Amino acid sequence: MEAWVEQLQNSVNTLERLKKIINVTPEEEATINTLHTKWGTTPYFASLMDPDDPNCPIRRQVIPSMKETENKYGMHDYLIWKENRDVGEVRPDCIARQYHDRIAFTVTDVCANYCRHCFRKELVVDRDLKLRFDFEEGIEWITDHREIRDILITGGDPFILSDERIEYLIRKLRDIPHIEMIRFGTRTPIVLPHRITDDFKKILSDYHRVPIWVNTQCNHPKEITEQTAKAVYDLLSCGVNVGNQAVLLKGINDDVETFRKLHQKLLTVRIRPYYVFYCEPAPGIDHFRTPVEKGAELIRDALRGHTTGLAQPMYVIATNIGKIPLMPDYYIVDKNEKEYTLKNYQGIYTTIPNIPE
Ligand SMILES: *Cc1c(COP(=O)(O)O)cnc(C)c1O
Ligand code: SF4
């Protein structure tokens, strides 16, 4: 059996298996016995958890918490709102649309790690939202909508599908003349790096008019290992670029030091930071959420000027009308007819001439 399939079959999703890896606290045990929620991770990702620290940043993403039953701020039917599933345009279940030229194509609700902070919780973790994942319906809709250039394949985790299914999807999408790029959102480089097998590399490889891009999700420097580096290198060797979409998570990556280290370490394994997302107002994840300004402050205090421009993600909040950038805005301090006054990351001022139009 392939190592990645074995990882999934041995998913750490029972108390018994979890106890072999970490010292489960009485609270964790009570939560697992009480909450009816899908949870679990790969033995590989579980091995990165701190066996003794319940606040371990990986552990908090893996093990359910009673706080998930509290919901002061989360929106009811969040995904229906967010993915415009209740508006006029008729679309198959698998197509979520916010933009003119690109769509999200949801192909599965299965994941290698059931992230406790997932904004697709209703679909993936709680399973109260049921969608039909019909490739043919999706492909037909895309074929009929010639304004769509860019397909973001998402889930769940699309790289959990078999090689055959993924190859089929890629082939069908590449046959559509107006499709210019295919993107995958997958956490496998972080939670299941074994997925990038030689056979899978053959499917992704070779020059083609329509490139494949991957965005993964890494939220803490502890999630990055030698195996991550190898998986990303293998993807790049197939001509597939790898970016990161982190989620800003309270108590996990919302301090200056961790936030900087995360973005620096991503580059050491050739992952380019793309987005940092504000933790969305989905239900049951209040305890992961910070004030909105926090992400912009972290970019200002941890990244801009403090480390290379290659390490700078865009901070956004994903909404029903698309992603809204929330970047720090303190650089132009003053402007008059003669000059602009600019401020750098150390609070030092400089001036440059104001050129009239
Ligand atoms: C995030 C998202 C996209 C892609 O957005 P980019 O900013 O291009 O990465 C497209 N459609 C939907 C519905 C999305 O949620
Ligand atoms: S991998 Fe993505 S879709 Fe799956 S649980 Fe994590 S955040 Fe949600």
Side-chain angles (χ1 to χ4, degrees), residues 49-217:
M49 294 193 288
D50 186 317
D52 297 311
D53 178 10
N55 286 320
C56 161
I58 296 183
R59 206 153 147 165
R60 285 198 55 211
Q61 294 180 60
V62 171
I63 302 176
S65 154
M66 280 320 266
K67 295 201 176 114
E68 294 171 30
T69 60
E70 295 164 20
N71 187 39
K72 236 165 115 182
Y73 305 103
M75 291 162 63
H76 183 63
D77 281 342
Y78 179 71
L79 272 190
I80 305 280
W81 172 79
K82 159 83 187 297
E83 298 188 337
N84 294 313
R85 293 185 179 276
D86 59 349
V87 298
E89 188 179 63
V90 179
R91 289 186 300 264
D93 267 12
C94 53
I95 306 281
R97 187 172 199 185
Q98 295 165 347
Y99 298 105
H100 180 70
D101 77 333
R102 58 203 188 281
I103 49 108
F105 188 179
T106 311
V107 295
T108 176
D109 56 6
V110 177
C111 296
N113 183 70
Y114 291 94
C115 311
R116 302 327 301 169
H117 57 274
C118 178
F119 78 84
R120 293 168 168 270
K121 220 172 186 204
E122 298 151 297
L123 173 73
V124 172
V125 176
D126 306 333
R127 309 203 150 231
D128 342 310
L129 176 67
K130 303 265 182 237
L131 300 182
R132 278 225 326 274
F133 304 111
D134 184 330
F135 285 16
E136 302 311 323
E137 255 183 18
I139 288 162
E140 196 178 314
W141 185 93
I142 294 163
T143 307
D144 290 343
H145 287 76
R146 297 184 53 190
E147 72 279 14
I148 304 293
R149 311 166 37 254
D150 170 3
I151 307 295
L152 168 54
I153 303 175
T154 183
D157 194 322
F159 275 10
I160 299 302
L161 299 177
S162 67
D163 286 1
E164 291 70 30
R165 297 288 280 162
I166 297 175
E167 184 184 24
Y168 178 81
L169 253 181
I170 294 173
R171 186 155 39 83
K172 284 296 197 178
L173 289 172
R174 280 177 161 170
D175 278 348
I176 303 174
H178 50 271
I179 296 309
E180 296 175 15
M181 57 193 276
I182 298 170
R183 293 194 270 170
F184 286 93
T186 172
R187 247 199 128 170
T188 54
I190 302 300
V191 300
L192 183 62
H194 328 56
R195 177 65 186 95
I196 317 306
T197 61
D198 288 344
D199 284 342
F200 191 39
K201 279 164 68 184
K202 281 191 204 117
I203 292 168
L204 299 174
S205 276
D206 279 345
Y207 176 79
H208 193 281
R209 172 187 71 87
V210 179
I212 299 172
W213 296 71
V214 160
N215 275 315
T216 191
Q217 183 197 142

Side-chain angles (χ1 to χ4, degrees), residues 211-332:
I212 299 172
W213 296 71
V214 160
N215 275 315
T216 191
Q217 183 197 142
C218 175
N219 300 319
H220 191 280
K222 258 186 92 170
E223 295 166 38
I224 298 170
T225 68
E226 260 318 295
Q227 274 167 279
T228 322
K230 179 69 171 50
V232 174
Y233 182 82
D234 284 346
L235 286 168
L236 290 168
S237 72
C238 302
V240 175
N241 274 288
V242 183
N244 190 50
Q245 307 194 135
V247 185
L248 180 61
L249 298 169
K250 189 157 124 190
I252 291 180
N253 59 15
D254 66 339
D255 63 287
V256 166
E257 198 187 325
T258 306
F259 198 76
R260 184 183 302 141
K261 183 105 183 284
L262 167 65
H263 289 93
Q264 289 174 334
K265 201 162 171 195
L266 285 167
L267 289 182
T268 69
V269 294
R270 304 175 173 80
I271 301 178
R272 176 77 152 90
Y274 176 48
Y275 282 140
V276 167
F277 286 107
Y278 179 66
C279 186
E280 295 177 39
I285 56 174
D286 287 354
H287 54 299
F288 286 113
R289 223 171 283 125
T290 63
V292 167
E293 288 82 0
K294 189 76 190 179
E297 287 166 14
L298 284 166
I299 287 183
R300 181 192 66 197
D301 299 339
L303 300 184
R304 290 268 181 93
H306 300 280
T307 196
T308 170
L310 284 167
Q312 315 286 327
M314 185 165 345
Y315 175 50
V316 297
I317 177 159
T319 75
N320 62 322
I321 54 168
K323 296 175 179 73
I324 313 282
L326 301 164
M327 299 298 278
D329 173 21
Y330 60 93
Y331 304 100
I332 299 182

